Amino acid sequence: MSVETTTESAPAPKKGTNILLGLTLLGLLLFLWLLLGLSTNAFWSPNNISNLLRQGAMTAILAVGQTFVIITAGIDLSVGAIVGFTSVIVAWLLQAGVPLWAAIILTLLMGVAIGAFHGFGIVRMGLPPFIITLATLTSLRGIGLLITNGSTISINHEGFTNFSRTDFLGVPSLFWMVILVAIPAFVFLHLSRWGRYLFAVGSNAEAARLSGVNVNRTIYLAYILSATCAAFVGLLLASRIGIGNATQAEGWELQAIASSVIGGTSLFGAVGSVHGPLLGAFILATINNGANLLNVNSFWQRIITGLLIIVIVYFDQLRRRGSR
Amino acid sequence: MSSLEELSHRHEDEAKLAESETVPRGAPILELRGLQKKYGLVEALKPATVTFLAGEIHAIVGENGAGKSTLIKLLTGVIRRTAGEVFWCGKPVQLATPTEAIKRGINAVHQEVVLCAHLSVAANMFLGDEMDRYGLMRKGAMERAAQAVLDDLGFLLPAGALLGSLTIGQQQLVATAKAAMRGIRFLIFDEPTAYLTRQESAQLFRLIRRLRDQGVTIVYISHRMEEVFELADRVSVLRDGTHVGTRLISETNDNELIALMINRTIEQIYHKEKVPIGKTIVETKGLSGPGFEDVSLTVRSGEIVGLYGLIGAGRSEFALGLYGRQPLSAGEVFWDGKKVDIRNERDAMELGIALAPESRRDQGLCLNLPIGLNINLPIFKRLSSGLVIRKGDEAANADQQIRNLSIKTPSRRVLASAMSGGNQQKIVIGKWLSHGARLFIFDEPTVGVDVGTKAEIYRLFGELLKKGAGIILISSYLPEVYELSDRLHVFRGGRLVASHDHRAASHEDVLTQAIGI
Ligand SMILES: Nc1ncnc2c1ncn2[C@@H]1O[C@H](COP(=O)(O)OP(=O)(O)OP(=O)(O)O)[C@@H](O)[C@H]1O
Ligand SMILES: [Mg+2]
């Protein structure tokens, strides 16, 4: 056939815009840091920076897991509750004298099980993701409170609780955990075929199915990854605060979703990356941290966060629609 | 007064506007001067100057991606022009929003049906223009009025049914009825017959002529030359976004139009490769499932088996059943002579079956993902080592299919949604060409595809056959299945009612068997 393709007038392909958003967010993050560095003395102090990295680390890991689910056009509202719940589980196991390595593995497996249950509810019972994860959100908090009898379990394992305070190469261990999660997550989402399947299922599940994609397995996988990330964060939190408490991490699911969305993930599915939610999480953490340093009323922090979500997502929409 | 005319005079203000803007039959009603549309850097429509005359049927033809749908979207205010002027009844107009276009009496039935699947037929027909009293909807009245219009038009459709329960063709008729109801003066059809059965097409043609006789100007876009010659008074040709000419239908012919469209001639569209027929690949015995019953047929290597029937005759359902998408209730499938149990799509693919489904939007494409990902989706397993994708192979396969099918895109990274209808269809086909299957099921493969590419797709069929594959070709377009099939099966009401060897029966016989009279 003789149809010539007009190569020279190529519209900016998707990949380019993806990187563009990443750079914009990175720019915003650096801008915030610069601004805070200029307006406060404390911001660039080593203490504050490690504090900021620790704060952001946990949301960042949750946001990466959340992003997998949102790419399949789903949502996982239970991640905050899983964090609280698994902090109880690990405290409980350690209290019962289970060795540390076993307690960690069992806690992570708990995350796998919760994620598999979400997959089961969606795939086999046909429940909407919003509903099944909302249901586990409330029940997990309830189960955790039953286990602890409404109070907290303190953790007396020195090695475990010290971990969150240690540094490695001058960077907090908690931040290294983000890298530990982000690298395999990147390989999974952007370089592996299962990553492609997540996008395909989120875009058009029927087309994916007829193309031989195991849609059910893909959905199980997304929710298991999200819940396991949350269980991992549960471990980190327990280490940081030295107790297991089912009411911890209240509202973190919304932080995770917000980070993901700020990072360019579309709630309609099929659009998202790994670096986006990471940047989103640290932007949110920076705003909280900066607001504290500047003594901004914490009520205002919430308002600012809300406005920021609107502004960033609005500009992202404008950019996407730009070619209309 | 018919119910259609009654309804179309519902809005006094619009009627007044219409009265103030009239031209006599045969005078220019809509003039485009240097109308242009760019998407970013892509010039979908180069400055075009076209005049439409009041009361004519004006066909627009052109290859896939030539800019036909773009032109229509500009006229109906769906997208905004980059440059140029539009004159309506001699006065310059903006046509910036769909509401403005509708108020002037310009309406369109778009290529892809844009209605709400979860609402009833009647609710869709009155969408945005509901009948109400004191702010409350008059559901019963709307349903009765809608039914009257449908009956008046001769469309056998229930106004109370959910739109989503209808076939794509029937939905297209609803969209047509909706457009015809709105006091129109200028009505555009973008490939309306692509999903229609023959009778439905006939009903539609009657409606179009009736509207023309009432003085409505009709713009008719189609890839089917015979329809253009049957209906139109004049025809305009677009090529690569350029308006290359307008002809009186009485003063032109197929060959001239095709030459204008693609700048070369095609000797033979239905070119069937002569391939020696080999062993039986698949045999079904008494296969039954949702929508089809007791279907027994065989496909041998090197053979095209055509399935003809009206829409809803159970051909697609049979294909989905064989492919493992729908559970089978009875019957057996033999693959290479061995009985097999196909429980899901993956089992089917494993055996070597490929299915290019009927609806590109619902089943065929991930629209908001890149073309490349769509093409590679069925074969990512082959394109990766372990779980990790080999990027080079991924790109190479996508680019190869884009070239093979001359998909008109600057890059494999462009989203499928930015492609024209016909180019989207080519992606659906391209997905399966590198799958290495032995049985290919193509369900309506050439819907919305231009003449040149049709010929190219048929040539690709020939290549698959030469490699020893067998093909099941499902089509509602009789000339296509008739000319290409080594064996033609006719479906009616979910059953296989007749079978013919290549060209053994006449068109009329096949049609009669499909309709069942
Ligand atoms: N939203 C969009 N963004 C970018 N390019 C687009 C968009 N929509 C259409 N195009 C491009 O504009 C050109 C013209 O498209 P158009 O849909 O008008 O073609 P068409 O003549 O209707 O073709 P077909 O017969 O396949 O329906 C194509 O090259 C197409 O890729
Ligand atoms: Mg089109």
Side-chain angles (χ1 to χ4, degrees):
Chain A
M1 296 265 328
S2 65
V3 180
E4 80 269 36
T5 45
T6 45
T7 320
E8 65 283 357
S9 61
K14 181 163 174 261
K15 198 159 193 180
T17 58
N18 220 340
I19 292 169
L20 195 70
L21 176 69
L23 287 179
T24 316
L25 289 175
L26 191 63
L28 179 65
L29 189 60
L30 294 178
F31 172 74
L32 284 174
W33 286 0
L34 198 71
L35 202 70
L36 287 169
L38 290 177
S39 50
T40 67
N41 295 326
F43 183 78
W44 281 111
S45 72
N47 216 341
N48 187 56
I49 289 297
S50 7
N51 211 359
L52 171 69
L53 291 182
R54 287 197 184 99
Q55 271 177 7
M58 294 198 256
T59 326
I61 295 172
L62 287 183
V64 169
Q66 184 73 246
T67 302
F68 293 147
V69 167
I70 299 182
I71 286 175
T72 67
I75 192 97
D76 189 348
L77 294 178
S78 71
V79 292
I82 296 177
V83 172
F85 178 70
T86 48
S87 78
V88 169
I89 295 295
V90 69
W92 194 41
L93 289 170
L94 288 175
Q95 192 189 40
V98 177
L100 181 61
W101 62 269
I104 290 177
I105 290 177
L106 284 174
T107 309
L108 290 176
L109 282 179
M110 185 58 88
V112 173
I114 296 168
F117 176 68
H118 290 155
F120 178 83
I122 294 163
V123 169
R124 301 272 160 227
M125 299 167 71
L127 298 176
F130 189 98
I131 299 300
I132 181 85
T133 58
L134 182 67
T136 37
L137 183 161
T138 63
S139 353
L140 282 180
R141 297 234 186 252
I143 298 172
L145 287 169
L146 273 182
I147 292 176
T148 61
N149 229 334
S151 68
T152 59
I153 305 178
S154 55
I155 301 171
N156 298 319
H157 195 293
E158 286 271 313
F160 183 66
T161 47
N162 278 342
F163 173 78
S164 65
R165 274 170 237 132
T166 55
D167 284 359
F168 179 66
L169 299 177
V171 174
S173 308
L174 282 184
F175 187 76
W176 284 109
M177 294 301 110
V178 176
I179 295 173
L180 186 76
V181 170
I183 290 175
F186 181 85
V187 173
F188 170 77
L189 188 64
H190 295 295
L191 304 180
S192 87
R193 69 184 142 93
W194 283 358
R196 299 284 196 280
Y197 294 163
L198 285 187
F199 285 100
V201 168
S203 175
N204 185 346
E206 183 63 19
R209 180 173 313 220
L210 290 177
S211 303
V213 174
N214 191 333
V215 174
N216 292 353
R217 191 174 65 189
T218 309
I219 289 173
Y220 269 105
L221 188 67
Y223 285 87
I224 287 175
L225 287 173
S226 172
T228 310
C229 283
F232 185 57
V233 173
L235 288 171
L236 301 182
L237 181 71
S239 159
R240 188 149 192 231
I241 59 179
I243 51 169
N245 182 336
T247 59
Q248 286 293 326
E250 180 104 55
W252 284 20
E253 60 279 348
L254 298 182
Q255 294 272 341
I257 295 168
S259 306
S260 189
V261 168
I262 289 177
T265 315
S266 159
L267 286 175
F268 298 111
V271 179
S273 65
V274 168
H275 58 267
L278 292 180
L279 287 167
F282 283 100
I283 288 174
L284 285 186
T286 304
I287 290 173
N288 283 342
N289 179 283
N292 281 335
L293 292 180
L294 293 169
N295 264 331
V296 177
N297 184 328
S298 73
F299 304 150
W300 274 107
Q301 286 181 27
R302 293 176 183 231
I303 298 173
I304 294 172
T305 310
L307 290 178
L308 188 78
I309 293 174
I310 294 176
V311 170
I312 292 183
V313 177
Y314 175 67
F315 278 109
D316 190 35
Q317 289 298 328
L318 275 191
R319 182 181 57 81
R320 276 175 218 280
R321 261 187 282 140
S323 57
R324 261 182 76 86
Chain B
M1 216 187 204
S2 74
S3 43
L4 183 65
E5 283 160 37
E6 242 167 70
L7 271 175
S8 57
H9 290 113
R10 243 172 84 217
H11 298 285
E12 270 179 40
D13 47 337
E14 285 179 18
K16 270 203 201 104
L17 181 68
E19 243 161 65
S20 71
E21 295 178 340
T22 43
V23 289
R25 179 181 277 271
I29 182 163
L30 185 69
E31 292 177 70
L32 319 177
R33 298 199 194 142
L35 192 65
Q36 184 201 27
K37 174 67 190 177
K38 285 187 181 174
Y39 286 106
L41 292 171
V42 176
E43 202 171 9
L45 186 66
K46 303 198 176 108
T49 299
V50 187
T51 304
F52 299 95
L53 306 177
E56 72 169 340
I57 299 180
H58 192 127
I60 297 182
V61 297
E63 277 188 299
N64 295 134
K68 304 180 296 296
S69 299
T70 303
L71 180 67
I72 289 347
K73 288 183 194 152
L74 285 171
L75 295 186
T76 48
V78 175
I79 54 176
R80 304 190 66 162
R81 58 185 183 246
T82 313
E85 290 173 302
V86 178
F87 293 85
W88 174 252
C89 302
K91 280 185 284 185
V93 288
Q94 281 305 315
L95 298 183
T97 63
T99 330
E100 187 193 339
I102 290 173
K103 225 170 55 205
R104 297 219 134 78
I106 303 177
N107 220 322
V109 180
H110 288 284
Q111 189 169 12
E112 309 284 353
V113 181
V114 272
L115 293 175
C116 305
H118 298 286
L119 296 181
S120 71
V121 169
N124 271 293
M125 286 169 66
F126 281 96
L127 195 64
D129 186 33
E130 283 80 2
M131 293 180 170
D132 56 0
R133 183 183 288 154
Y134 317 122
L136 296 177
M137 288 236 254
R138 299 172 56 206
K139 197 158 168 277
M142 286 197 293
E143 202 163 308
R144 278 192 303 278
Q147 190 65 60
V149 170
L150 291 170
D151 294 347
D152 183 16
L153 295 177
F155 298 168
L156 299 171
L157 297 170
L162 275 189
L163 189 86
S165 66
L166 305 183
T167 66
I168 308 176
Q170 292 170 328
Q171 296 186 15
Q172 197 90 41
L173 291 183
V174 173
T176 312
K178 176 183 166 77
M181 222 168 66
R182 294 288 314 250
I184 35 159
R185 320 227 352 247
F186 195 95
L187 183 55
I188 305 162
F189 292 92
D190 195 353
E191 295 188 41
T193 52
Y195 292 102
L196 296 190
T197 64
R198 241 175 132 102
Q199 294 117 304
E200 285 170 340
S201 300
Q203 287 167 8
L204 181 72
F205 289 179
R206 269 201 297 281
L207 169 65
I208 290 178
R209 292 206 180 91
R210 176 168 148 192
L211 289 169
R212 189 232 351 234
D213 295 343
Q214 288 167 9
V216 177
T217 309
I218 309 277
V219 173
Y220 189 87
I221 296 179
S222 179
H223 288 296
R224 299 185 181 166
M225 286 300 149
E226 71 275 14
E227 292 180 352
V228 170
F229 281 94
E230 187 182 335
L231 269 181
D233 301 312
R234 294 197 306 154
V235 53
S236 290
V237 183
L238 293 181
R239 181 171 74 226
D240 274 340
T242 312
H243 173 226
V244 290
T246 299
R247 299 279 184 276
L248 274 174
I249 219 69
S250 52
E251 291 172 6
T252 185
N253 55 40
D254 290 36
N255 289 339
E256 187 195 12
L257 288 186
I258 292 178
L260 278 175
M261 268 160 68
I262 60 182
N263 219 0
R264 70 198 158 84
T265 52
I266 302 177
E267 315 79 56
Q268 198 187 2
I269 297 178
Y270 301 109
H271 173 70
K272 167 79 175 42
E273 201 77 38
K274 276 274 162 278
V275 180
I277 291 185
K279 284 203 317 226
T280 299
I281 296 175
V282 74
E283 175 171 14
T284 69
K285 282 192 184 154
L287 214 58
S288 303
F292 61 98
E293 218 176 315
D294 197 19
V295 177
S296 303
L297 53 78
T298 60
V299 183
R300 292 167 296 175
S301 120
E303 166 179 67
I304 296 184
V305 173
L307 306 187
Y308 180 73
L310 305 184
I311 289 175
R315 297 163 303 161
S316 301
E317 288 76 6
F318 165 73
L320 288 172
L322 182 58
Y323 192 64
R325 179 66 187 95
Q326 302 274 3
L328 301 173
S329 53
E332 296 169 320
V333 179
F334 294 86
W335 183 266
D336 284 337
K338 278 196 293 286
K339 185 169 168 348
V340 287
D341 189 14
I342 303 174
R343 281 154 314 170
N344 56 42
E345 311 78 25
R346 275 160 284 125
D347 286 353
M349 283 176 66
E350 202 99 316
L351 280 177
I353 307 181
L355 170 75
E358 176 181 19
S359 160
R360 56 176 171 252
R361 255 163 60 126
D362 299 336
Q363 306 169 302
L365 289 177
C366 296
L367 277 175
N368 55 355
L369 291 177
I371 297 171
L373 199 156
N374 274 290
I375 290 177
N376 289 325
L377 195 55
I379 58 160
F380 271 126
K381 217 177 224 160
R382 258 205 359 244
L383 295 174
S384 41
S385 315
L387 276 184
V388 178
I389 292 172
R390 297 186 304 275
K391 289 254 183 185
D393 292 354
E394 186 187 24
N397 181 60
D399 288 341
Q400 189 195 334
Q401 297 313 331
I402 288 173
R403 261 197 318 276
N404 246 346
L405 289 159
S406 43
I407 296 173
K408 206 182 159 200
T409 173
S411 150
R412 62 175 181 279
R413 297 205 186 89
V414 172
L415 304 188
S417 57
M419 290 289 97
S420 76
N423 280 300
Q424 289 181 357
Q425 186 64 32
K426 296 187 217 168
I427 301 174
V428 178
I429 308 267
K431 278 170 85 161
W432 294 104
L433 292 184
S434 45
H435 176 245
R438 290 178 51 217
L439 174 67
F440 289 85
I441 308 175
F442 291 108
D443 196 349
E444 308 284 2
T446 57
V447 165
V449 169
D450 64 53
V451 210
T453 311
K454 258 187 203 159
E456 190 65 10
I457 289 177
Y458 301 149
R459 198 188 56 72
L460 286 166
F461 285 180
E463 260 165 41
L464 295 174
L465 296 178
K466 270 194 271 182
K467 284 187 202 146
I471 293 177
I472 295 180
L473 172 64
I474 301 177
S475 176
S476 306
Y477 190 43
L478 188 53
E480 176 174 280
V481 263
Y482 187 83
E483 296 297 329
L484 290 176
S485 306
D486 292 291
R487 208 167 157 70
L488 178 61
H489 298 293
V490 183
F491 270 63
R492 188 176 71 231
R495 287 170 177 274
L496 204 165
V497 291
S499 305
H500 310 283
D501 284 333
H502 184 55
R503 288 193 169 176
S506 67
H507 272 223
E508 286 66 37
D509 289 347
V510 175
L511 255 179
T512 322
Q513 285 158 349
I515 299 168
I517 35 165

